[in-house]
Amino acid sequence: MSGLQAVRGMHDVLPEELPRWRQLEEVFRTVSALFGYEEIRTPVVEYAQLYLRSVGDTSDIVTKEMYTFADRGGEQLALRPELTAGVVRALLQHGLFQRRSLWRLWYYGAAFRYERPQKGRYRQFHQYGVECFGSPFPESDVEVIVVAATVLQRLGIQRYELHLNTLGTLQVRQRYREALVEYFRSVRSALSPESQQRLERNPLRILDSKHPADQPVVAQAPIIWDFLDAESREHFDSVRRALEAGGIPVVLNPRLVRGLDYYTHTVFEFVSPQLGAQNAFGGGGRYDGLVESFGGPSVPAVGFAFGVERMLLLMTEMPCEEPVQVYVASQSMPEEAMRVAAQLRAAGYRTVTDLQRRSLKAQFREADRLRVPVVVLVAEQEWERGAVVVRHLQEQAQWECPLAELADHVARALSR
Ligand code: HAM
C-alpha cells in the first residue's frame, strides 16, 4: 500500500494495448448504431440505495462486492457495480418515458466490484451493454441478443456458447423459490457452508455454486421449467425459435439464474471455455419490473452487458493499429520541421517530429524503430528553394519535392 502502485485489481491500459481497446470501442459504437441504439452516459458514483433496490440487497454483488462509502456530507454512495440501474434511474429522473415509449440505449464504461482478483476478474473493469425499454415482446429479447452476437462476429470471437434460460414471471419465480427452499432444507447438511447461508437469503444462487459439495445436491434440485405458466413458456419458446431461425445456436440451461435480482423471463449468458473459471464474458436478460419498482411507469425492458477485459482475452487476432506514417526529420531546423508536420497532418497523415533536437542519424534510427515508411527531410539547401526531400525507407529512394506538392508526393510514396 505504498500509494505508488495501482490499486489491487485495477489496471492501467498502456499505449501498446490501446489499439485493441479502441477497436473494441469502435465496434461497440458501429454495431449499436446499426441497430438504432443511442448512447447514454451516467455517473460512476450513485447513491448506494439504488443498487440495494435493483441488483438486490441479498445479492453477492451488493452484500460482498460493492464499494460503498460515506461522502463528506454523510451520504452513502457506491461506485457502480454495473450500469443498468443507473440507466433506469436516469430515464426516470429526466422523464424520458413521457417523451417516448420505446428507448434503445447503449453504454460503455467502468464498473467496480470488490472481488478476489484473478485472470479475467478485476476490481475495476469495463462493460459495454445495451438496454431496450418499452417492449414486452420476445422480438426485443431477440434483438438485444442479435446485437451481442453481431458484436462478437465483428470482433472475430467465434468459440463461445450462448446459455439461455427463463425465470418466468415474478409469480413463477416466487413459486420456484419456495420449492427450492423446501428441497434444499431437506438436504441442508449436505450443502457447503456458504450455500447453507444462502438458503434463506437467496436460494436461487445455490444453483450457481461452484463448490464440489453442492454439485450432487444441485443436480437433484427442482428445475424452473416445471413451474412455468403458459405465458412464461410461450415467451421462452418464441425467443428460442427466433434465435434458431436467425442461426444463433443456444444451449438451454435450466440452472442459469444470474447474480442480479431484477430479472424476469429470459436470462442468458455468453460463456467461453477459453476463459477458465471466469467463463462468462457477457450476460443479461429481461427485467420487466425494475422501472416500476423505482416508482416509474410499468415499462418492460431487456438488455445485456459484456465484460470488455474478458472479450480482450478472447480476441486472438491483433487488430490493425494506426502506425505513424511520416517522420519529419530536420537538420537543426525544428521550427520548419514543425510547420511541415502540421501541413502533413492537415492532409490527414499520421506524422511525428523529433522533439529532442537529436542528430540526423538518431532521427533516422527513430524513424526505423517506428517502422515509418516515409521520412520527409527538412534541410537548409532545399528549404531555400522552397522544397524538402521525400525518402522512401524500404526502397532507399529519395527525391526533392516542392513544399506545395508535399501531400501528393507523400501519397505516392506511401502507395509504393
Ligand atoms: P453481469 O453478469 O453481472 O451483468 O456482468 C456482465 C459482465 O461483466 C460479465 O459477464 C463479465 O464479463 C463482466 N464482469 C463482471 N464482473 C467482473 C469482474 N469483477 N471483472 C471483470 N469482468 C467482470 C450485469 O452487470 C447486468 N447489468 C447486465 C444486464 C444489462 N442485464 C440487463 N441489462
Side-chain angles (χ1 to χ4, degrees):
M1 231 276 285
S2 66
L4 292 176
Q5 294 263 321
V7 174
R8 188 162 129 83
M10 306 201 180
H11 295 280
D12 303 306
V13 182
L14 300 178
E16 69 245 32
E17 302 163 72
L18 265 155
R20 281 156 56 82
W21 282 80
R22 271 201 302 267
Q23 194 207 13
L24 275 172
E25 291 162 17
E26 186 57 35
V27 169
F28 296 154
R29 212 180 304 282
T30 318
V31 173
S32 305
L34 191 63
F35 286 82
Y37 282 70
E38 298 174 278
E39 186 177 5
I40 184 164
R41 297 186 187 181
T42 59
V44 168
V45 175
E46 299 271 0
Y47 291 112
Q49 196 62 26
L50 179 75
Y51 302 107
L52 267 66
R53 293 176 55 176
S54 53
V55 174
D57 52 8
T58 60
S59 66
D60 283 355
I61 295 177
V62 166
T63 56
K64 296 189 195 152
E65 298 167 5
M66 202 153 72
Y67 280 88
T68 44
F69 58 97
D71 71 5
R72 287 175 193 277
E75 297 283 7
Q76 272 302 315
L77 305 180
L79 297 185
R80 61 185 181 195
E82 57 105 55
L83 280 72
T84 309
V87 169
V88 174
R89 196 249 333 118
L91 285 166
L92 287 173
Q93 181 174 339
H94 302 285
L96 298 191
F97 292 122
Q98 277 122 53
R99 277 206 251 149
R100 263 201 246 152
S101 63
L102 191 91
W103 285 92
R104 291 183 166 100
L105 299 171
W106 71 276
Y107 51 76
Y108 168 72
F112 304 83
R113 295 185 192 174
Y114 191 82
E115 295 191 76
R116 198 169 45 77
Q118 62 181 73
K119 182 183 165 204
R121 191 166 69 192
Y122 313 106
R123 290 182 174 172
Q124 174 178 309
F125 59 98
H126 295 77
Q127 287 190 342
Y128 158 75
V130 310
E131 313 289 354
C132 177
F133 294 91
S135 165
F137 302 115
E139 297 86 285
S140 56
D141 308 49
V142 173
E143 179 173 284
V144 299
I145 292 174
V146 174
V147 172
T150 308
V151 165
L152 296 177
Q153 187 212 338
R154 298 247 172 145
L155 292 172
I157 297 175
Q158 287 168 329
R159 285 186 51 209
Y160 67 86
E161 283 176 358
L162 170 56
H163 286 206
L164 188 72
N165 191 23
T166 178
L167 299 177
T169 58
L170 282 178
Q171 293 79 350
V172 166
R173 189 166 156 170
Q174 192 51 36
R175 266 188 286 140
Y176 179 56
R177 188 181 191 280
E178 285 160 17
L180 271 186
V181 171
E182 196 178 323
Y183 166 74
F184 283 130
R185 271 200 197 131
S186 72
V187 290
R188 183 177 200 128
S189 54
L191 287 168
S192 68
E194 202 177 15
S195 288
Q196 291 192 19
Q197 269 183 12
R198 282 186 178 135
L199 212 164
E200 312 295 335
R201 272 191 301 128
N202 203 344
L204 265 69
R205 292 297 290 166
I206 300 178
L207 299 177
D208 247 8
S209 164
K210 301 231 159 66
H211 198 289
D214 294 331
Q215 302 309 313
V217 187
V218 167
Q220 297 298 316
I223 61 170
I224 191 146
W225 297 347
D226 295 332
F227 292 78
L228 297 180
D229 55 16
E231 178 201 341
S232 304
R233 198 176 293 281
E234 176 50 30
H235 189 96
F236 188 44
D237 287 344
S238 314
V239 173
R240 249 172 44 186
R241 275 198 309 270
L243 289 174
E244 264 163 41
I248 298 180
V250 296
V251 176
L252 300 177
N253 178 356
R255 299 191 203 285
L256 174 66
V257 290
R258 309 270 301 128
L260 305 87
D261 278 357
Y262 46 60
Y263 294 111
T264 53
H265 291 289
T266 316
V267 286
F268 54 92
E269 232 158 45
F270 291 88
V271 296
S272 166
Q274 277 165 271
L275 287 173
Q278 304 306 314
N279 65 355
F281 62 94
R286 178 166 281 284
Y287 49 99
D288 288 348
L290 187 60
V291 178
E292 203 172 4
S293 79
F294 279 5
S298 166
V299 178
V302 57
F304 73 86
F306 279 135
V308 177
E309 284 81 356
R310 292 187 192 171
M311 296 179 97
L312 282 165
L313 291 172
L314 295 175
M315 284 170 59
T316 40
E317 272 171 59
M318 265 302 276
C320 59
E321 293 177 43
E322 296 199 344
V324 175
Q325 295 167 299
V326 186
Y327 191 98
V328 180
S330 88
Q331 211 156 25
S332 314
M333 300 177 72
E335 281 177 28
E336 291 79 357
M338 281 176 80
R339 285 208 321 257
V340 172
Q343 185 184 333
L344 286 165
R345 291 186 195 115
Y349 297 108
R350 295 184 293 274
T351 307
V352 297
T353 57
D354 167 57
L355 289 179
Q356 297 168 304
R357 303 202 172 178
R358 286 175 295 188
S359 71
L360 204 52
K361 198 167 148 208
Q363 292 180 53
F364 272 99
R365 228 183 296 125
E366 176 71 359
D368 253 353
R369 191 189 65 77
L370 291 169
R371 295 178 200 283
V372 173
V374 174
V375 173
V376 170
L377 176 62
V378 181
E380 190 116 19
Q381 232 182 350
E382 290 82 11
W383 191 258
E384 276 171 11
R385 293 197 288 273
V388 291
V389 175
V390 176
R391 180 154 170 176
H392 193 286
L393 287 188
Q394 215 177 4
E395 294 185 1
Q396 298 199 327
Q398 67 174 42
W399 62 92
E400 190 173 318
C401 131
L403 253 186
E405 294 166 25
L406 182 59
D408 286 346
H409 281 255
V410 166
R412 225 174 302 148
L414 284 172
S415 66
R416 281 160 89 131

